[in-house]
Structures are given as C-alpha cells and as structure tokens.
Amino acid sequence: MSASKIVSVLLLLVLINISSNNINGVNAFHKVIRKMQSKSTSLEVVSHLHRTGFHFQPPCHWINDPNGPVVYKGVYHFFYQYNPKGAVWGNIVWAHSVSKDLINWEALEPAIYPSRWFDINGTWSGSATNVPGKGPVILYTGITKNHTQIQNYAIPQDLSDPYLKKWIKPDDNPIVRPDHGENGSAFRDPTTAWFNKKDGYWRMLVGSQKNRRGVAYMYKSRDFKKWVKTRRPIHSRKGTGMWECPDFFPVSIGKKTGLDTSYDGPNTKHVMKVSLDLTRYEYYTLGKYDTKKDRYKPDGTTPDGWDGLRLDYGNFYASKTFFDDTKNRRILWGWANESDSAVEDTLKGWAGVQLIPRTVLLDSSGKQLVFWPIEEIESLRGKNVQMNNQKIEMGQRFEVQGITPAQVDVDVTFNVGSLDKAETFDASFATKPLDLCNLKGSNVTGGVGPFGLITLATSDLQEYTPVFFRVFKYATTNKPKVLMCSDAKPSTLKGDTGTDSTEKMYKPSFAGFVDVDLADGKISLRSLIDHSVLESFGAKGKTVITSRVYPTKAVGDNAHLFVFNNGSQPVTVESLNAWNMKKPQKMNQRAK
C-alpha cells in the first residue's frame, strides 16, 4: 500500500468512528454520515476489485433505490437514487440513464435534485407514470426544511425529446401533504399511478406507518395535479412497521405476458409489495383489488407480514416494477447494497448495484410469482461449456472448466432420483428457512442434498460461496419440502480476524423454500455470477436469492466454479450450460 493511501486510511479512521450499521444485513441508508457523504472519489482511484462486469452501476459513488423505470418513444428511462459526491448515502438526486436494450446505458444529467422549498432537503424515491397527453410524469417524495415528507411531481420540458433530458418542477407542488392522521416523518415513495376508465380517476399509493402498522394510503385525481385521499387506506397490516417503496400491479392468470398497471379485466390477481424499514427486506401478497371500494384483500394463502413471500430472499431491497409495452412484459428492478463497511465503501469509491432486470409472471399454481432474467442479458453470453449426465456421489465435486467463473451465467438441471433417503421435515421450520439453512449448511451431510453449485471459490475451498438445495419430505405424506440456500459465511477470509470497522465483514446466509413436487426428480438452478454479486434462480425462478460477497483470493482468473453433492443419495447433473459474460459496450457513459 502506498504511503498516500495509508495516510488516507488513517485520516478516515480518525475522522469517523462508525459501525457498519447493519440491520438484517443491509446497511441503513437514511443515516447521514456527514464527514463521508461528500468525500468524492476520482475515477482514477476507484477500486475495480469487486466491481461488476455486466450489472448496472455508475462509474463511482453511492446508489440505492430504483425509481420509476418507464418506456418513452422506444427509449427505456431508468431513474435511481444517487449521491454524486460520495460513496455513502447523502446528497441524493434522481440520476437518469437511458437505453434502447436494457443492457447498454448512457448517463444523462440528473432528472431532479433538491432546489425548491418543497424538496430542499431531499428528492427521495418515487415513480414515473406515462400519462396520455402529458408523457412521463415523475412522482417523488420531497423533504422540506423542517424535514416533513411530502409528495411532488415533475414533468418533461420537451416531450418531443425521446431522451427527456430536462425536467420541470411546477409551482403548484406539492400535490400531497401528510394530514393530521399521517406521520410526516414516515410518508413517502409514491407508486406508479393507474387509471380507472369507469370513474375517470387516477390513483396512486403512498407508504407510511401508524403505531407500527404498515399502511398504504390511496389518493385519487382526475387531472394528475389535484389529489384527494380516499376514505380508507387500500391496505394495512399491524406489526409490520413502515412500508417503504410500495408497489401495486396486476398479473395475468394463465398467460405468459405482463399487464399494464391500469388493466382492469378478467383473469387477474393483484400484487401488493412493500419494503420493510424495520427488517430491510420485502414481502408481497397476491389478492383481489375491489375497484369500487378501493380496497385490496390478500388471498390468505400466504402470510401477510414478515413471514410472507419475497421477490428475492437475499440482499434485495426497494424494488420497483414497470410495464414494458414494447414487449408486453412486467419488469422488476431491485437494488443490492454492500455488505462491507462505509469506510471501505469510501476507500473503494463506490457502493451499491442495480440487479439484472427480471420478468414477473404469476406461477401456474396461482399461489406465487416467478422471476427470470430478461432475455436481453443473453446477448452478453460468450464462450459456452457444458456438462451432461454427470453422476455425483456423496462428497464429490466436479469443476466447471474452460470459462471465467468470476463473470459467468450458469444454468444447471439436477436429477435427485429417489426421495427415499430424504430427511423428515420438521414442521417447526415451516416459516424459518434461514434457521434451517444455518443448521444444515452445505457441509452437513444429508439424505437428498445438500447439492448445487460452489461459486467464487479457491481451488482448495479456503474461500467459496455455495448455492444449494436440500430435499426433505413430510412424514405423513412423503411430499417433498425443498430448501434453497446461498451461504456467504465462507465467501471470504476477510473479517475472520480484526475488530475495527475496516475489518468487519457481514457474511450472511440467505434461504427460502422452493415449491416443487419433484415428480420427475428434476430441479434447476441458474446463477448469474459477477465478481461480488451472485443472483440465483431456483426452479425456473420460483425462489430467487441474491448475495454480495467479497473474496480476497477467489477473484478474477483465480476463481473456480464447481458442482457438488454432500448427500448420501447420488444426484446427477442432467445438463449444465455455462457462458462467459461480456461487458456491455456502454455502462453509464455520459451521453454526448
């Protein structure tokens, strides 16, 4: 390490004395670290050790929530929370990037930033809605001088410009203020609006809480300017705390296409998704939206609360969907924060990634959603290697060779054969997959499993991140119960020793159950591996887990990828395809 860098480290440690401030593994990002929020990084000194190759990132500094993705005149517009002055949360603006393929991105000037009395202390998250005759309209949370959260709007200056380079904040802002029954410090993140043709009103939701009850307030408008709160919230749930970044949209029953947010036809269910400020993860329910009463009622087949279904069971937060009318699909964006400390983020000059956009569909069971990386990502695939009909006995692992395992897309189908040796499922873990994963990790021998992938590994497994399945069965019915885990605990040697904030490393395991019957013995696993990001899709996207990892040795050309089995029942790799992943030609280069 150079003398100048040593001095920089010492100065940082003297100036600040902070912890990584983890809440369930995701850094609390509304905490202002004043001595770091404006510590800018030049591109020349940005650390590339763990930067991604094909994920969305600006060249440097902090990012968080995706805001209001929208398509206009054939151009995808992506807005996101960004600190242009440092690698920790603060100085937040609405950064704006554009693309024609969701892969290659050009950066424009920020769409909005604090400048008026109604947002002078912050331009926080929100959405964008395509309004006929008005084009895209941004709805966002502004923070006032006294730190009250209010809802505002912004409009394009020139609708003839497909890039929408300039935005205006009209003088009639704000459009929604908290009333006497609402918490002005917990009142934010307006959703994409939808239009009811029957009564001629637009509707949107704003997240909040009241006495630890999560609430989604509804507002109505005819002209998209004057909004009135409905008599009751569209939905709320006790004990869930503040609902951030709510999302509300329809999904089709039986069709493999997405639906416009305003769709109100037959054969649909609605999705209510909320981000939980208390836990730093999200959950969703499926249910029925009564358009006459403006009420949402969950089906009741899954928990409406902390134990509910998740879009992603890992490092994934503040997600946002939008309807892509060019391909009739609904697309999900989600943000993954860092798991290292704010000091390290400042030293490396960046923090946060946007995950690969995913299509959203209702599963054929009607009981959950399924997610899959957008097809455009396959355009980055390069060299392909395969493995077929490879039997794996207990304790064996086989390396996937001939690729670059630190930047790869791997899709594998396992066949587990008989379930006779599957362990009996303990029903006390029915809502506790993470506890079960921590109890029975990748090295704990089972009957059917654990089996799966060992990613970002050294050849001797000093460092590795396993993504794996373990199959249980119910004692009374013999039906399978499948656990999926992504375990970062052995991912890096860093953090195993040392006590100060530069050495601490959060290395969690994540887990979820996978709803499959295994009638044919098959289960698939696809993982997008990108240096410090690992996105894994179990059973064609029924269960998704994202992990952030920071290996010290298993980096670049020194990383390895294996398939493995530590169960007494042999499993077979029926098919495996792995592709080197190329970098996009443009990743947030400044548009000319």
Side-chain angles (χ1 to χ4, degrees), residues 403-554:
I403 52 165
T404 54
Q407 192 170 310
V408 67
D409 179 358
V410 56
D411 195 351
V412 57
T413 297
F414 296 96
N415 194 316
V416 302
S418 170
L419 299 183
D420 291 344
K421 293 184 179 180
E423 303 159 82
T424 300
F425 181 66
D426 182 346
S428 67
F429 290 101
T431 59
K432 300 175 181 179
L434 182 55
D435 290 350
L436 190 55
C437 178
N438 286 328
L439 180 67
K440 294 180 178 289
S442 64
N443 292 320
V444 178
T445 299
V448 181
F451 62 89
L453 296 172
I454 296 175
T455 74
L456 295 171
T458 54
S459 57
D460 59 1
L461 299 190
Q462 280 189 300
E463 294 181 329
Y464 65 99
T465 303
V467 185
F468 60 94
F469 300 111
R470 183 186 289 261
V471 182
F472 301 85
K473 62 183 177 182
Y474 289 96
T476 54
T477 64
N478 283 328
K479 289 184 177 180
K481 185 74 170 181
V482 179
L483 176 70
M484 176 178 168
C485 303
S486 180
D487 186 5
K489 289 194 294 293
S491 64
T492 179
L493 296 174
K494 190 170 186 177
D496 291 341
T497 60
T499 57
D500 64 56
S501 59
T502 62
E503 292 296 326
K504 292 178 181 178
M505 179 66 65
Y506 181 68
K507 300 184 288 186
S509 54
F510 295 114
F513 292 115
V514 189
D515 186 16
V516 288
D517 61 17
L518 293 179
D520 59 0
K522 298 179 182 181
I523 188 167
S524 66
L525 175 63
R526 181 180 179 186
S527 290
L528 298 174
I529 304 166
D530 196 2
H531 299 277
S532 65
V533 180
L534 175 59
E535 299 184 58
S536 297
F537 300 78
K540 300 298 181 182
K542 287 193 171 187
T543 300
V544 186
I545 303 176
T546 297
S547 292
R548 297 298 312 277
V549 295
Y550 309 88
T552 60
K553 295 183 176 182

Side-chain angles (χ1 to χ4, degrees), residues 203 297 353 364 420 471:
R203 288 163 170 80
K297 183 178 181 181
V353 298
S364 58
D420 291 344
V471 182

Side-chain angles (χ1 to χ4, degrees), residues 86 120 172 294 306 328 531 564:
I120 196 62
D172 55 356
D294 278 328
W306 289 8
N328 286 322
H531 299 277
F564 81 99

Side-chain angles (χ1 to χ4, degrees), residues 23 28 78 100 107 117 278 299 332 352 451 457 548:
I23 302 177
F78 184 57
K100 292 186 177 180
W117 72 265
L278 285 176
D299 287 342
L332 169 71
F451 62 89
R548 297 298 312 277

Side-chain angles (χ1 to χ4, degrees), residues 39-43 45-46 60-61 85-87 346-350:
K39 188 173 181 59
S40 186
T41 301
S42 66
L43 295 182
V45 298
V46 166
C60 60
H61 296 154
K85 298 181 179 180
T346 299
L347 289 173
K348 70 177 189 267
W350 59 274

Side-chain angles (χ1 to χ4, degrees), residues 388-393 396 398 565 570-574:
N388 296 296
N389 300 315
Q390 176 65 62
K391 187 177 182 179
I392 313 178
E393 300 284 354
Q396 287 187 319
F398 295 96
N565 175 36
V571 299
T572 299
V573 175
E574 283 207 348

Side-chain angles (χ1 to χ4, degrees), residues 141-407:
T141 298
I143 311 300
T144 66
K145 184 177 180 180
N146 65 359
H147 296 281
T148 299
Q149 298 173 15
I150 58 179
Q151 314 315 315
N152 305 310
Y153 77 108
I155 57 176
Q157 179 175 287
D158 181 7
L159 287 176
S160 68
D161 174 16
Y163 286 83
L164 303 175
K165 295 185 184 72
K166 299 294 183 181
W167 292 78
I168 300 169
K169 303 172 189 175
D171 292 335
D172 55 356
N173 275 304
I175 52 174
V176 172
R177 301 171 185 256
D179 62 23
H180 65 277
E182 295 162 352
N183 185 344
S185 64
F187 181 67
R188 55 186 178 265
D189 308 336
T191 65
T192 300
W194 67 96
F195 186 70
N196 187 326
K197 294 180 180 179
K198 295 176 182 177
D199 65 9
Y201 278 93
W202 288 93
R203 288 163 170 80
M204 69 166 174
L205 307 180
V206 177
S208 188
Q209 71 169 337
K210 189 174 184 178
N211 300 322
R212 287 180 60 88
R213 173 182 285 270
V215 180
Y217 292 111
M218 177 182 280
Y219 294 83
K220 298 167 58 177
S221 174
R222 286 192 182 275
D223 61 4
F224 225 84
K225 293 182 178 181
K226 298 178 181 178
W227 294 83
V228 178
K229 190 171 77 168
T230 58
R231 189 166 61 90
R232 296 181 297 184
I234 188 173
H235 191 54
S236 66
R237 188 65 178 174
K238 65 179 180 181
T240 53
M242 172 65 196
W243 282 4
E244 294 192 302
C245 305
D247 204 2
F248 188 65
F249 56 90
V251 288
S252 177
I253 298 173
K255 292 185 178 181
K256 300 301 182 182
T257 55
L259 296 175
D260 184 87
T261 310
S262 296
Y263 182 80
D264 185 27
N267 301 315
T268 62
K269 289 190 176 187
H270 268 76
V271 179
M272 173 68 78
K273 186 278 305 184
V274 295
S275 304
L276 298 173
D277 191 36
L278 285 176
T279 65
R280 314 312 299 172
Y281 61 74
E282 306 184 316
Y283 83 91
Y284 74 91
T285 56
L286 293 164
K288 179 69 175 178
Y289 171 41
D290 187 329
T291 57
K292 293 182 179 179
K293 296 181 180 179
D294 278 328
R295 297 282 284 177
Y296 167 76
K297 183 178 181 181
D299 287 342
T301 55
T302 60
D304 183 6
W306 289 8
D307 293 328
L309 295 170
R310 300 193 201 175
L311 307 179
D312 186 307
Y313 288 81
N315 187 335
F316 183 90
Y317 197 71
S319 66
K320 183 70 181 175
T321 67
F322 76 102
F323 178 65
D324 178 6
D325 60 359
T326 66
K327 293 191 175 182
N328 286 322
R329 58 185 177 175
R330 182 161 289 274
I331 294 177
L332 169 71
W333 282 89
W335 162 64
N337 198 1
E338 303 303 306
S339 293
D340 54 7
S341 71
V343 172
E344 288 170 313
D345 292 343
T346 299
L347 289 173
K348 70 177 189 267
W350 59 274
V353 298
Q354 304 294 347
L355 299 171
I356 299 302
R358 306 165 183 175
T359 57
V360 182
L361 292 170
L362 182 67
D363 183 59
S364 58
S365 68
K367 296 180 180 179
Q368 68 166 95
L369 299 175
V370 291
F371 312 92
W372 200 245
I374 56 170
E375 61 185 2
E376 287 89 343
I377 197 68
E378 297 172 15
S379 68
L380 297 178
R381 287 174 172 173
K383 180 183 178 182
N384 169 246
V385 298
Q386 299 180 355
M387 182 186 295
N388 296 296
N389 300 315
Q390 176 65 62
K391 187 177 182 179
I392 313 178
E393 300 284 354
M394 182 176 69
Q396 287 187 319
R397 68 177 187 268
F398 295 96
E399 185 166 4
V400 182
Q401 297 181 319
I403 52 165
T404 54
Q407 192 170 310

